[in-house]
Amino acid sequence: MTPSFALALHGGAGTISPALMTPEKEQAYQAALHAALRSGYAVLAGGGSALDAVEQAVLRLEDHPLFNAGRGAVFTHEGHHEMDAAIMDGRNRAAGAVAGARQVQNPIRAARLVMEQTEHVLLAWPGADELAREHGLPMQPDEYFFTQHRYDQLQEALQEGRMRLDHSQALPTDEDPKKKMGTVGAVARDQHGNLAAATSTGGMTNKRYSRIGDSPIIGSGTFADNRTCAISCTGHGEFFLRAVVAHDISCLMEYRGLSLVEACRMVVHDKLAPIGGEGGLVAVDALGNVALPFNSEGMYRASQTSQDAAPFVAIYKS
Ligand code: ASP
């Protein structure tokens, strides 16, 4: 029998409800999630590594304008794009991340370069793009990252003066129902029993320039360790940073012996929610069990395991 393998991915969490969605848009999201799941899962089914599978799934989502990563990255307050990404290998806790990249087409590939081609874990701002350029990754002009819906979101946010994360430690009480986050991420267990996690984001609309969220911070937005789990988070990054979400889940499994599902529930609902942290995550454990918890209205999510009959794709709370 083929050893079990599994892939789970997300395309962001937040205020996502059927009332705010057109059937066409919903279909487009579903199709994009299915396509990313298929391409990552094919890597695993072919005996490929968890690392390659999560990179592949995230690449697909980065190239899709609907998601807040790569091509569809949100705008900063100044009208630019600053992208963060991280990747981690559960075999040896090798990790690589970039923050504030502005030109590289696929920040997740740059993160992998940091992991495999440098002695470092995190490269930020021009140095991140520079490394990608040196290694021949595709680079793009600003126009490539322009999408009308993200631009409109910035204009609304500027008018309302909201989402100034540099001033705010709490979610505004008059939360805009259209606010949603579209960060992407994936976790996998391969046939060899190895785990990996990857996350990529444009951050949050109207963020102050040079702001870095949880996604590229190992242990907060991204984490993988073969002994416990692989995690990729999405949500209001400042809270995920303060709750050190991904590593906390791993610690609950390692030190307290909790199952993946219990550890995720404890962190997402009992720890993150009380401090105002809205969002969710995708997770896989050493046996290939998958968890997709969130405390927001919805989360674009998908998963498939070698035990499943069919892929699972969902957007809203079930
Ligand atoms: N966590 C990301 C950040 O704060 C945003 C998101 O997940 O949508 O940068």
Side-chain angles (χ1 to χ4, degrees):
M1 197 179 109
T2 321
S4 62
F5 52 96
L7 178 75
L9 59 85
H10 67 77
T15 311
I16 307 164
S17 77
L20 302 166
M21 190 79 85
T22 62
E24 295 75 33
K25 206 161 182 197
E26 185 170 332
Q27 220 175 14
Y29 273 111
Q30 296 255 7
L33 292 169
H34 269 290
L37 187 69
R38 260 197 312 275
S39 66
Y41 193 79
V43 174
L44 297 176
S49 71
L51 209 52
D52 287 343
V54 294
E55 183 185 27
Q56 182 57 35
V58 166
L59 264 176
R60 294 295 294 255
L61 296 167
E62 280 182 341
D63 285 344
H64 201 295
L66 270 184
F67 299 97
N68 171 21
R71 177 138 163 61
V74 297
F75 286 85
T76 64
H77 181 70
E78 289 71 23
H80 299 298
H81 299 93
E82 294 187 3
M83 301 172 288
D84 305 338
I87 192 161
M88 188 161 183
D89 185 342
R91 282 178 302 185
N92 52 3
R93 286 196 183 209
V98 292
R102 290 189 49 182
Q103 246 50 94
V104 63
Q105 178 176 321
N106 294 109
I108 198 63
R109 293 186 68 190
R112 189 159 177 179
L113 274 182
V114 174
M115 178 172 79
E116 292 178 343
Q117 304 293 332
T118 78
E119 300 172 331
H120 310 302
V121 169
L122 174 60
L123 283 187
W125 305 300
D129 282 319
E130 201 46 54
L131 179 80
R133 197 174 286 112
E134 270 170 34
H135 286 268
L137 293 190
M139 308 300 284
Q140 296 291 352
D142 288 352
E143 304 78 69
Y144 171 84
F145 300 101
F146 181 94
T147 50
Q148 192 62 48
H149 70 288
R150 296 294 182 204
Y151 185 73
D152 294 345
Q153 276 175 1
L154 174 65
Q155 302 317 309
E156 282 173 37
L158 286 172
Q159 264 173 24
E160 293 159 19
R162 69 178 163 81
M163 199 57 62
R164 292 303 305 267
L165 295 167
D166 47 322
H167 295 151
S168 159
Q169 286 288 297
L171 283 171
T173 47
D174 57 344
E175 192 69 272
D176 181 336
K178 288 194 292 301
K179 193 199 88 187
K180 53 181 179 303
M181 301 137 181
T183 291
V184 308
V187 293
R189 180 201 194 268
D190 63 30
Q191 295 191 29
H192 318 286
N194 295 317
L195 305 184
T199 313
S200 182
T201 187
M204 295 183 79
T205 302
N206 199 20
K207 68 182 179 182
R208 188 184 174 111
Y209 79 93
S210 295
R211 175 264 189 188
I212 297 172
D214 61 311
S215 310
I217 305 302
I218 301 303
S220 277
T222 308
F223 189 72
D225 185 332
N226 272 6
R227 295 171 308 159
T228 52
C229 59
I231 308 275
S232 170
C233 299
T234 175
H236 198 141
E238 278 64 14
F239 296 92
F240 282 69
L241 282 165
R242 289 160 57 200
V244 202
V245 169
H247 189 242
D248 210 38
I249 292 170
S250 175
C251 287
L252 284 168
M253 296 177 71
E254 185 174 356
Y255 303 137
R256 282 188 52 187
L258 296 195
S259 71
L260 181 75
V261 169
E262 285 168 332
C264 285
R265 193 202 50 74
M266 190 172 272
V267 174
V268 171
H269 295 284
D270 300 348
K271 189 166 182 182
L272 199 54
I275 61 166
E278 182 191 6
L281 56 90
V282 292
V284 65
D285 71 11
L287 297 174
N289 297 306
V290 162
L292 312 166
F294 56 97
N295 63 26
S296 46
E297 254 186 84
M299 179 167 83
Y300 300 107
R301 59 201 186 278
S303 67
Q304 188 165 9
T305 76
S306 50
Q307 325 293 347
D308 290 344
F312 170 79
V313 175
I315 298 178
Y316 315 113
K317 263 190 192 136
S318 49

